Amino acid sequence: MRFMKLSYMLSMLAGSALSLSGQSTFSGPASGYVFDNVGHSVRAVLGVPGAAYLGSASQPAWDSVSVAPNGRWALGVTGLSLNWIPDLSRPASFFSLPQVSGPILRIAWSSDSTTAAIWSPTTGHLQRITGLDSAPAIHDPIDLTAVSGLLSGWSLSPDGRCLALSSSVPGTSSVYLSDQDHAPVPMG
């Protein structure tokens, strides 16, 4: 009886080895996605914490990609083009968004992932993008040229309605608040 159990286990192991011999890689569900700055691509994070690895590079090549907090969609930048990637498991399926004002340096997300703000220091403009969970809409640019100093930090409210900005100049720093698409007002 013991010989039959051993024989059965060995045949199962041999069968498993043969079925895996045609596979060149192991993969599983993605636990998240990241932008690979060196490879200019979106890559899946595969595995479990402590034993995770990056999946293969995807096409197309991006200058930068900002993944939403929910990890399901992103905004990708190539040159002056801003693109919405609605499904990060398929980063080659993206939609170009209408022309934005200038090259984008930073992107900030609301915590619910439905709104993002993009900033172009070249033009001094900031733009909100709403509806990123269904039908994105780019709002009119907000002129930030009145904000003194360098924009050193910014954050969107959880619902994406308000934007807090901080700037610094030698010897002073200020905080500004912008409600919806209005020009920022100094808070301190």
Side-chain angles (χ1 to χ4, degrees), residues 23-37:
Q23 277 188 310
S24 59
T25 61
F26 290 99
S27 66
S31 58
Y33 295 89
V34 295
F35 174 62
D36 177 2
N37 196 29

Side-chain angles (χ1 to χ4, degrees), residues 8 11 17 31 34 43 87 92 135 162 187:
Y8 177 74
S11 65
S31 58
V34 295
R43 297 178 70 176
D87 182 359
C162 296
M187 300 305 291

Side-chain angles (χ1 to χ4, degrees), residues 14 18 29 43 48 54 59 79 85 92 108 113 145 172 179-180 184 186-187:
L18 287 174
R43 297 178 70 176
V48 295
L54 293 178
Q59 292 296 321
I85 308 168
S113 300
T145 55
T172 183
D179 184 14
Q180 295 283 342
M187 300 305 291

Side-chain angles (χ1 to χ4, degrees), residues 5-100:
K5 284 184 183 177
L6 182 60
S7 172
Y8 177 74
M9 286 178 30
L10 287 174
S11 65
M12 291 301 291
L13 285 172
S16 296
L18 287 174
S19 68
L20 291 176
S21 65
Q23 277 188 310
S24 59
T25 61
F26 290 99
S27 66
S31 58
Y33 295 89
V34 295
F35 174 62
D36 177 2
N37 196 29
V38 175
H40 298 279
S41 66
V42 174
R43 297 178 70 176
V45 178
L46 303 169
V48 295
Y53 61 97
L54 293 178
S56 59
S58 65
Q59 292 296 321
W62 300 97
D63 293 337
S64 68
V65 172
S66 179
V67 177
N70 68 8
R72 294 177 21 212
W73 52 76
L75 291 172
V77 177
T78 33
L80 293 176
S81 176
L82 178 66
N83 305 282
W84 176 48
I85 308 168
D87 182 359
L88 280 170
S89 67
R90 301 176 325 140
S93 297
F94 60 89
F95 299 93
S96 293
L97 296 175
Q99 181 62 36
V100 294

